Amino acid sequence: MNRAAYLLDTHVLLWWLGDDPKLSVLHRRIIADRSNTIFVSSVSVAEISIKSSLGKLDAPADCVDAVMSAGFDLLDFTAAHAEHLRSLPWHHRDPFDRMLVCQAQLEGLNLLTEDPRVREYNVVTA
């Protein structure tokens, strides 16, 4: 595989951290390849925190530590990312997914996702 930079969708991150069999072979191979740079967004950390506090998700309480221990890089959500939301088509209503798409577009990252609605955007997905 060629060296590349990837942004993990939240479900892909959780499947990786939990060694969930739902994680595809392709995604496992990409994430495990140490020549790739793997980013996790602060948006995913917020989504996990919010959904965990509501009881909708069982996730590690120390999400940032788990991300760092996995060797991933954190990507902050910036004002430029937020402003880009205005131009994004409404293929998807989930605000977290929309923010991840903006980050992938502006940062030139491949977005690892299984969400078919995310794939409708002008963003490289795997």
Side-chain angles (χ1 to χ4, degrees):
M1 250 183 230
N2 295 331
R3 177 175 167 70
Y6 296 90
L7 176 62
L8 302 185
D9 199 340
T10 307
H11 62 274
V12 172
L13 169 64
L14 291 170
W15 292 346
W16 174 265
L17 294 176
D19 196 26
D20 194 305
K22 289 184 255 182
L23 186 63
S24 74
V25 171
L26 174 62
H27 288 169
R28 279 186 198 281
R29 194 168 51 236
I30 290 170
I31 296 168
D33 184 343
R34 292 297 173 186
S35 69
N36 292 324
T37 303
I38 307 297
F39 289 96
V40 171
S41 174
S42 58
V43 169
S44 291
V45 175
E47 181 178 13
I48 290 167
S49 296
I50 290 168
K51 290 182 178 179
S52 292
S53 72
L54 293 171
K56 294 183 175 185
L57 183 65
D58 184 27
D62 56 348
C63 182
V64 173
D65 288 340
V67 165
M68 300 306 288
S69 293
F72 303 149
D73 294 322
L74 287 172
L75 178 63
D76 289 334
F77 188 76
T78 67
H81 297 140
E83 194 169 62
H84 189 62
L85 285 165
R86 180 185 298 259
S87 66
L88 205 62
W90 283 94
H91 301 311
H92 207 313
R93 297 285 181 200
D94 184 302
F96 298 112
D97 287 319
R98 293 175 57 78
M99 288 185 265
L100 292 175
V101 167
C102 285
Q103 286 185 297
Q105 286 179 338
L106 290 181
E107 303 301 327
L109 301 172
N110 299 296
L111 185 56
L112 292 188
T113 187
E114 290 292 334
D115 188 333
R117 289 175 293 173
V118 168
R119 293 174 186 266
E120 293 178 29
Y121 288 99
N122 182 24
V123 64
V124 178
T125 60

